[in-house]
Amino acid sequence: MRTRGWLHRASQWPIYPLMAAAYPVIFLYGQNVEQAVAPYEWLVPLAISLAAAAVSIGIFRLATGDWQRASLITTVLVALFFSYGLAWDWLGKMLLGHWVLVIAWALVGVTAAATIWRMPERAGKVTVGLNAVGGLLLLVNVVMIGAFFLNVRVIASNGMSGVTASGQGSQPVKRPDVYWIILEEYGSGRVLQDYFNYDNTPFLDALRQRGFYVADDATANYLKTAHSVVSSRNMDYLDGPKLEAQAKTASDWGPIYHGLKAPFEVQTFLNSLGYRFIYSGMYWQPMATHPAAEINYVYDKATSEFIDVLEQPTLLRALEGLGTAAPFDWRRNRWDWTNWQLEAIDRASELAGPKFVHAQLALDHEPYVFHPDGSFVSATDEHSRPHEVDYIDQLKFTNTQMLAWVDKVLNVPADQRPIIILQADEGPWPPGYRHDERGFDWTTASTDDLKEKFGILSAFYVPSKTPAQAGLYPSITPVNQFRALFRSYFDLDLPLLPDRNYIWPNQKDIYTLIDVSDKVQG
């Protein structure tokens, strides 16, 4: 009876405001637990949210003299805070600005608080029910997170087949700097012409005039950044069954993300020749830094992608347009980060060599925040225009920046010029995939979908060699580019692999790799 009485009293403790404050963070983490979210990315906002709710309860407890009313008022305020951004997404186009919705939200909050304040007896009657609802919602997500982590498998390796370039080949007389600049989702000339009605020939010709070889028929080996980068860094195809054996589930990205942080064959070989590894990553946490780099260029004013997504539905959205350094405008954050990265690769080019500079730029990935002249694109402007216009405008900015950087890097005596790879890791997203990334079934993708997704920019500057001498050819894929270059420049015995293209069924089955080369290259 004593136990039953204790449980009855405990059920009446108003802990539901803390559950309400924790739920958005736990829910988002549960939805992305397979994405290798770093602990700080969700623990910090969770702690802040819980602390703010606790302070609110304390303040209203002093004001009302009642824990029940204080808890109910706090819960209403938590709900308003975490739903503002959703309301803005639905109503923003019909309003004059954030100030209208902020005033409306404030009126709702004040009205609700005043109503609850006058109802002390009724406020306590909802505690047990709200505690139960909050506990159930949290439990569902906690069970999902726990199930993922309890299915523990040791990640023994990055799943590669074991190509080892280190220690092979001859010591080169000259060690040109190597720049590998990855431009997210930059489509090939044919893709831009066929699916965006844009002629990118002037940019490609400008590269050719500067001595670049453009592989016009180049395609990506995989659909997504992580698979593509791990494969091309290691000069080999991914071993799907081996990776899946390391994964907790068929949708667990952990082994792939582990590969992104692991030493890789290109870097290991160049290190063995005395090259410095310089890295500039993007806002996506698995590729923000690399542990093996001597120098990591990190934009320290940015939050993580997880925190940006968490902020979007909240009242912080009302602050997104406040000035050029608005801290809660995730789109402005992307704009600042990318500009900073462009400056970083400029700074990297001034470092003493020999050096291997590897950069991952979010150009031309959503959000589309650049006009062709580099000025900022507001959310309203981006969403008011067709996707194709936004994409091409940002691509035009990319072209201008890359040509300016190339001119600077090549402005040295001919015998000091570097190897440069300008390349995409994947092509643009076809409409069906763009509208439903998680649910899109790639086994039903049309040939057009596949051609758009796999056709990529791939351009090479190879000093003192012709493209043929460097082993380059029109349909080269990323898995072969360093095999060809290392064989040509450093006498490595690395035969080329067949150029293949792989999909997987959907985001719930990322290790069932299906060869679609005939459709992509046909």
Side-chain angles (χ1 to χ4, degrees), residues 65 174 313 315 351 504:
K174 291 185 178 180
L315 188 58
L351 297 172
W504 48 87

Side-chain angles (χ1 to χ4, degrees), residues 14-85:
I15 59 174
Y16 57 85
L18 299 178
M19 294 180 181
Y23 178 75
V25 182
I26 299 298
F27 173 78
L28 183 61
Y29 180 53
Q31 294 297 306
N32 294 276
V33 66
E34 296 161 337
Q35 301 291 322
V37 178
Y40 81 89
E41 295 184 73
W42 67 277
L43 287 175
V44 171
L46 177 63
I48 293 173
S49 187
L50 289 173
V55 169
S56 175
I57 294 171
I59 291 173
F60 284 108
R61 167 66 176 81
L62 292 174
T64 65
D66 180 8
W67 287 111
Q68 306 291 348
R69 285 183 292 172
S71 298
L72 196 54
I73 291 171
T74 295
T75 302
V76 171
L77 297 181
V78 167
L80 288 172
F81 178 81
F82 279 105
S83 61
Y84 176 89

Side-chain angles (χ1 to χ4, degrees), residues 446-497:
S446 67
T447 299
D448 279 343
D449 287 338
L450 295 173
K451 286 182 177 294
E452 181 176 358
K453 192 72 193 76
F454 279 90
I456 60 171
L457 171 72
S458 200
F460 304 85
Y461 186 86
V462 284
S464 72
K465 293 185 182 294
T466 66
Q469 289 171 338
L472 303 175
Y473 51 95
S475 60
I476 191 170
T477 61
V479 75
N480 276 322
Q481 61 194 18
F482 282 107
R483 285 176 171 264
L485 294 175
F486 286 176
R487 184 170 60 178
S488 172
Y489 280 91
F490 307 125
D491 296 324
L492 282 186
D493 184 17
L494 283 175
L496 297 184
L497 302 175

Side-chain angles (χ1 to χ4, degrees), residues 192 195-198 331 364-373 377 380-398 428 434 452:
L192 297 178
Y195 301 102
F196 292 84
N197 195 30
Y198 179 72
R331 299 176 71 264
D364 296 274
H365 192 289
E366 292 180 319
Y368 300 116
V369 294
F370 287 95
H371 286 297
D373 64 359
V377 177
T380 301
D381 286 346
E382 179 187 356
H383 297 146
S384 67
R385 305 184 304 179
H387 166 262
E388 292 77 10
V389 173
D390 289 325
Y391 176 89
I392 292 300
D393 270 7
Q394 190 147 300
L395 181 135
K396 290 176 180 177
F397 171 73
T398 305
R434 193 169 67 249
E452 181 176 358

